[in-house]
Amino acid sequence: MNTVDSIEARPSGAALGAEIVGVDLAQPLDDAAFARIVELFHRHEVAYFRDQRITPEQHVAFSRRLGELEVHVRQDCLRPGFPELFVVSNIIENGRPIGSQDAGQFWHSDLCYLREPSRASVFYALEVPQKDGKALGDTMFASATAAYDALADDIKARIENLRVVQSYAKGYYSVRRSGPRKPLTAAQQAKTPDIEHPLVRTHPYTGRKCLFVNEGYSARIAGLPQNESESLLAYLLEHATRPEFIYRHNWRPQDLLLWDNCSTQHKAVADYELPLRRHMERATLKGGVPH
Ligand code: SIN
């Protein structure tokens, strides 16, 4: 049984990220313990638990307690029997990839191209590639609150009321390690039209301002001439992922990690390949319209 008093955060020392200790997610979690986890998660933006021996049912149940879950448009990447779990893996079984082979290998936040981008993701490590005793396939996280706070006042004033176009197609068709992807179907395109969102959004729980741009899906800044849009976007993209805003997670099997898709963006590090196997599964929480 987990008790609220046993739960504490060990901050990473970076701008974001903390290990949460004193929790066994395979055991019941009362409301006070759950509320403490949520509070620590909002404070640290990325929160992880080591050594969690949980089933897919428990992964989904814990995630669903945090909020309603998405089902990804890429049906071929969902775990059989668990449509709420999006598989990220380089493993091929019976001649077919078991999940998305190169998901997230650019800076992005999950589902930022939807009208209601995801609030957070819950990522579970089943297999982590190892070489010479070292785990590969890290994930890097950048704090969008730290990035916003560090902007100069004149840039903050300039971008305050601007909107950014987030484009699923831009990210989907970008250059991939596994080669070109199949064209999006008409149904997938209909679910993911380009969309405008505020360039600076307010976190729905903490009220902090977050810089809402990422290299993967941010296509342009709405209403600006092309050259102005390109130079402002390039500046903001470079700024948003400066080393001082980053926490880099070195995975261990049975890590369960929560990332906030409003106050952070992330990027998977592709420094491994078969026969080194990586198998992760992601539950993705629905979010609200950014404001
Ligand atoms: C993702 O962006 O969902 C994948 C991140 C990772 O594989 O590390």
Side-chain angles (χ1 to χ4, degrees):
M1 177 74 185
N2 299 286
T3 62
V4 66
D5 297 331
S6 67
I7 300 175
E8 59 178 82
R10 293 189 183 147
S12 67
L16 72 169
E19 180 179 358
I20 311 286
V21 297
V23 180
D24 178 353
L25 293 169
Q27 299 303 319
L29 202 56
D30 66 20
D31 288 345
F34 182 73
R36 171 105 176 113
I37 290 171
V38 173
E39 186 243 320
L40 293 173
F41 170 49
H42 287 150
R43 189 183 318 159
H44 295 285
E45 305 180 340
V46 166
Y48 62 92
F49 311 84
R50 298 281 196 198
D51 303 318
Q52 301 297 318
R53 287 165 199 282
I54 55 169
T55 62
E57 286 85 354
Q58 288 167 326
H59 182 181
V60 170
F62 175 69
S63 307
R64 195 170 273 145
R65 197 160 166 192
L66 290 159
E68 205 183 331
L69 301 181
E70 294 278 358
V71 173
H72 202 276
V73 289
R74 294 189 61 197
Q75 302 275 335
D76 55 324
C77 296
L78 306 180
R79 181 179 174 121
F82 296 89
E84 307 88 349
L85 295 180
F86 179 74
V87 179
V88 176
S89 181
N90 63 343
I91 298 170
I92 314 272
E93 263 170 18
N94 304 319
R96 286 197 50 220
I98 65 165
S100 176
Q101 291 175 277
D102 43 19
Q105 294 177 1
F106 44 54
W107 285 105
H108 69 289
S109 55
D110 295 332
L111 314 190
C112 64
Y113 44 77
L114 295 185
R115 197 178 75 84
E116 297 184 328
S118 164
R119 169 187 165 199
S121 299
V122 186
F123 210 56
Y124 186 56
L126 289 109
E127 291 183 69
V128 176
Q130 303 277 337
K131 194 171 182 195
D132 303 328
K134 186 178 168 321
L136 302 176
D138 291 357
T139 308
M140 296 196 290
F141 297 92
S143 170
T145 54
Y148 175 80
D149 291 348
L151 286 169
D153 286 346
D154 60 327
I155 305 277
K156 283 184 182 162
R158 182 171 172 212
I159 66 173
E160 193 61 34
N161 294 311
L162 291 178
R163 294 175 73 78
V164 58
V165 177
Q166 309 285 21
S167 167
Y168 180 63
K170 175 185 179 210
Y172 184 85
Y173 290 118
S174 64
V175 179
R176 304 275 162 176
R177 210 161 55 137
S178 60
R181 285 180 167 177
K182 282 192 291 190
L184 289 167
T185 63
Q188 286 172 322
Q189 286 179 47
K191 281 190 189 159
T192 55
D194 287 2
I195 189 140
E196 277 183 26
H197 282 310
L199 187 48
V200 177
R201 60 184 295 202
T202 304
H203 194 281
Y205 295 93
T206 65
R208 294 188 66 186
K209 288 191 174 176
C210 308
L211 187 58
F212 192 23
V213 285
N214 61 71
E215 97 178 298
Y217 298 109
S218 300
R220 62 188 180 280
I221 297 180
L224 293 189
Q226 189 181 344
N227 59 348
E228 224 182 291
S229 160
E230 279 172 7
S231 62
L232 181 57
L233 197 52
Y235 172 80
L236 294 173
L237 291 175
E238 194 275 326
H239 171 86
T241 55
R242 277 180 13 200
E244 60 269 38
F245 310 140
I246 291 178
Y247 163 68
R248 180 171 175 144
H249 189 74
N250 187 235
W251 294 96
R252 292 188 206 155
Q254 276 100 40
D255 278 356
L256 184 114
L257 182 148
L258 290 117
W259 67 71
D260 189 311
N261 282 310
C262 179
S263 58
T264 74
Q265 54 175 301
H266 59 280
K267 175 180 177 167
V269 178
D271 58 356
Y272 61 93
E273 53 190 36
L274 287 173
L276 304 182
R277 291 159 60 104
R278 187 173 189 264
H279 180 180
M280 323 293 264
E281 293 186 350
R282 186 183 94 198
T284 317
L285 271 71
K286 285 185 193 281
V289 176
H291 59 277

